[in-house]
Amino acid sequence: MKKLYIQTLGCAMNVRDSEHIIAELGQKEDYQLTQDINEADLIIINTCSVREKPVSKLFSELGSFKLKKKPGAKIGVAGCTASHLGKEIIKRAPYVDFVLGARNVSKITQVVHKKHAVEIDTNYDESTYVFGDYRSNPYKAYINISIGCDKKCTFCIVPVTRGEEISIPSRLIIQEVKKAVESGAKEVTLLGQNVNNYGRRFSAQEEGAKNFTELLQEVSKVKGLERIRFTSPHPLHMDDEFLHEFATNSKICKQIHVPLQSGSTRILKEMKRGYSKEWFLNRCEKIRALVPDVAISTDIIVGFPGESEEDFLETMDVVEKVRFDTIFSFKYSPRPHTPAASYANQVPSEVASKRLQILQERHKQIQLEQMQKQVGKVVKVYFEELKSGGQVAGRADDGRLVYAKGSEELLGKIVDVKVTKAYLTKLEGEVV
Ligand code: 5AD
Ligand code: SF4
């Protein structure tokens, strides 16, 4: 058996793509996963290009792979940076054996055999390809429901790297959910760049779910499945029908990611997000009214071109009003092939850094207060990991990390836990 070492950068879609790569190479090419890079016959880095940082990380990692690899071992670059840099990667690092784009994962078993293969076609349709089985977590499964992204957010490189959006037929999604449940998963996370745009385009005429709400209904009928999560939805497509399903379907976990990006309607227009500050606030108010125990997370970019102090204060105003449970916040990073990168009014880096710091410091306080509100509640925790000191850890329905005293027998079980203590990123409790 040959050994495969794989490093994954970026988002949940990349994690799933890596699982697909591991499955294909394991089942069709006789590769076995290793954590030890020195013994690997094939080293793959699955890259992200959403900001400049992970792109520079690629080239520093490649340099270290070259030093560590055993003689004759191959190096492959997959993912979003593979898509947008293509053969440029081999020019800069000639010891790289192949480049496999984020939209071409199913070609992995071909490129491993071709010296300097570059497969990065973003029109390639993988929406009906059935990958081999592999998942890194025995208790949970990631399941793709669409590929690509049709949005044209002016800051974002993803449409360039992952191509146009195509929904995966619901019968294939249900098949994957059933397989996951049969092999022990009680929870699935449905994945896509824009999940609630599901059904916008299929590559073939299909029976079954035609929109995201219908898909959620179908998935929730699978026997033995207890929890459904999804990421990421787009605020624009959060219609009332979807929010009603989210609120009333007991299998859907009460955790939702609502990516704000900016609280200024003017900046949102420049970003081509398609919604206003008011719409965003209205959706979050509605979610909190329908589901009082919900956890809302978001993504925020500071320092988008033209962002004034007033625009930034609008973002802070949304942060105060919604009181997000988690915020992923970023300094704007100009990306190649995106409209905003060539806008004249770029914000100085120090100004953006200062705003990021203000946002993060204020949100830390809110986050701790939101966590402290959990103390005294009884929450359902799906335990999945043994921790030191006789503890086990898992996620509550709303996605919060919970630790409790316990051992192996709690793993894979959904158990009532009384929350006794809150920290910034985790809760402690007692099994009741
Ligand atoms: N600069 C900074 N952050 C970005 N994101 C996407 N593109 C950029 C960029 N050019 C952020 C968005 C998105 C998250 C995945 O990454 O907030 O929701
Ligand atoms: Fe994921 Fe976007 Fe990074 Fe690609 S660029 S890996 S889609 S976060």
Side-chain angles (χ1 to χ4, degrees):
M1 264 205 154
K2 291 167 284 184
K3 296 276 171 72
L4 164 69
Y5 176 91
I6 187 162
Q7 183 185 345
T8 307
L9 310 174
C11 64
M13 302 233 45
N14 256 25
V15 172
R16 185 59 181 151
D17 289 344
S18 286
E19 290 182 342
H20 283 153
I21 290 173
I22 295 164
E24 293 289 296
L25 289 178
Q27 284 157 28
K28 297 177 187 158
E29 297 289 331
D30 221 25
Y31 277 96
Q32 192 183 38
L33 206 55
T34 176
Q35 307 301 325
D36 179 3
I37 193 165
N38 300 299
E39 66 162 17
D41 300 285
L42 172 59
I43 300 168
I44 296 180
I45 180 160
N46 194 5
T47 60
C48 173
S49 54
V50 76
R51 283 169 291 277
E52 179 55 34
K53 240 192 213 154
V55 178
S56 11
K57 178 148 185 188
L58 163 65
F59 286 99
S60 64
E61 288 296 282
L62 283 176
S64 90
F65 292 167
K66 188 180 171 221
L67 296 175
K68 288 182 192 154
K69 80 179 184 105
K70 70 178 188 190
K74 291 182 186 169
I75 298 179
V77 176
C80 286
T81 305
S83 300
H84 96 94
L85 290 183
K87 57 180 189 300
E88 186 65 30
I89 294 173
I90 296 179
K91 259 197 214 147
R92 279 176 69 176
Y95 49 88
V96 166
D97 291 278
F98 64 84
V99 175
L100 181 71
R103 183 72 172 234
N104 308 83
V105 179
S106 60
K107 295 182 196 157
I108 180 67
T109 51
Q110 300 165 28
V111 295
V112 284
H113 297 296
K114 290 188 214 149
K115 184 74 184 163
H116 286 171
V118 177
E119 290 285 352
I120 54 166
D121 179 7
T122 46
N123 289 317
Y124 190 63
D125 181 5
E126 291 192 313
S127 68
T128 56
Y129 187 86
V130 178
F131 287 93
D133 293 324
Y134 175 82
R135 59 172 204 272
S136 35
N137 186 318
Y139 307 110
K140 306 171 172 181
Y142 275 145
I143 294 175
N144 290 352
I145 67 163
S146 60
I147 58 175
C149 182
D150 269 356
K151 289 275 173 250
K152 297 270 178 292
C153 302
T154 56
F155 53 79
C156 188
I157 197 171
V158 174
V160 178
T161 63
R162 290 188 176 265
E164 75 175 10
E165 191 172 318
I166 306 180
S167 300
I168 293 171
S170 63
R171 83 187 145 76
L172 294 180
I173 297 169
I174 299 296
Q175 183 181 307
E176 289 295 307
V177 174
K178 284 185 176 159
K179 266 199 268 178
V181 170
E182 276 159 24
S183 61
K186 291 191 168 95
E187 176 180 314
V188 296
T189 300
L190 307 178
L191 291 180
Q193 292 302 328
N194 186 358
V195 284
N196 52 348
N197 201 31
Y198 180 81
R200 180 182 156 116
R201 185 188 300 114
F202 291 99
S203 62
Q205 199 61 35
E206 281 301 332
E207 301 290 308
K210 293 285 184 291
N211 65 34
F212 189 55
T213 305
E214 288 174 16
L215 181 69
L216 288 171
Q217 288 162 347
E218 272 197 28
V219 170
S220 66
K221 284 185 206 138
V222 173
K223 286 206 177 66
L225 178 69
E226 300 198 31
R227 285 181 160 192
I228 303 168
R229 299 187 195 276
F230 51 85
T231 199
S232 287
H234 193 293
L236 181 65
H237 306 297
M238 289 191 178
D239 55 31
D240 287 348
E241 189 199 10
F242 161 70
L243 292 186
H244 179 262
E245 188 64 30
F246 175 72
T248 55
N249 187 327
S250 60
K251 286 193 182 178
I252 300 178
C253 292
K254 302 309 178 232
Q255 166 191 31
I256 192 161
H257 188 64
V258 197
L260 169 66
Q261 312 302 0
S262 169
S264 154
T265 298
R266 194 181 71 80
I267 293 292
L268 287 168
K269 266 209 187 99
E270 296 289 317
M271 291 176 160
K272 290 210 168 45
R273 291 289 291 170
Y275 53 87
S276 61
K277 177 187 182 186
E278 287 65 38
W279 168 262
F280 186 93
L281 286 174
N282 170 280
R283 292 296 88 185
C284 291
E285 275 161 26
K286 180 132 194 181
I287 294 167
R288 288 220 193 269
L290 290 171
V291 190
D293 282 332
V294 74
I296 303 181
S297 58
T298 199
D299 289 342
I300 293 176
I301 297 175
V302 299
F304 181 83
E307 184 188 71
S308 66
E309 204 52 37
E310 290 72 47
D311 293 318
F312 174 63
L313 292 177
E314 297 276 7
T315 298
M316 291 303 291
D317 186 44
V318 176
V319 170
E320 295 298 336
K321 290 197 165 109
V322 179
R323 297 180 62 80
F324 298 104
D325 297 273
T326 309
I327 297 183
F328 302 95
S329 51
F330 314 101
K331 223 167 106 167
Y332 170 71
S333 167
R335 308 308 299 122
H337 318 295
T338 62
S342 53
Y343 290 177
N345 45 0
Q346 301 287 322
V347 172
S349 175
E350 323 78 72
V351 175
S353 298
K354 187 83 208 146
R355 288 179 189 163
L356 188 65
Q357 191 193 351
I358 293 170
L359 167 65
Q360 290 180 339
E361 273 174 18
R362 173 63 187 124
H363 186 253
K364 225 184 223 179
Q365 298 166 336
I366 295 176
Q367 188 172 335
L368 191 58
E369 286 161 20
Q370 298 289 87
M371 293 296 273
Q372 279 160 348
K373 276 196 211 156
Q374 310 304 312
V375 176
K377 281 187 189 170
V378 174
V379 295
K380 290 208 177 306
V381 180
Y382 185 21
F383 285 111
E384 57 175 290
E385 207 182 335
L386 272 184
K387 294 286 178 187
S388 59
Q391 288 198 306
V392 280
R395 298 272 166 187
D397 184 275
D398 66 5
R400 286 178 223 270
L401 180 61
V402 183
Y403 279 59
K405 273 219 165 60
S407 53
E408 281 97 344
E409 66 267 21
L410 283 174
L411 298 183
K413 299 211 172 93
I414 299 175
V415 179
D416 280 340
V417 174
K418 181 157 189 186
V419 178
T420 52
K421 206 164 176 194
Y423 302 88
L424 190 61
T425 56
K426 68 169 191 180
L427 300 170
E428 263 172 29
E430 286 158 10
V431 173
V432 292

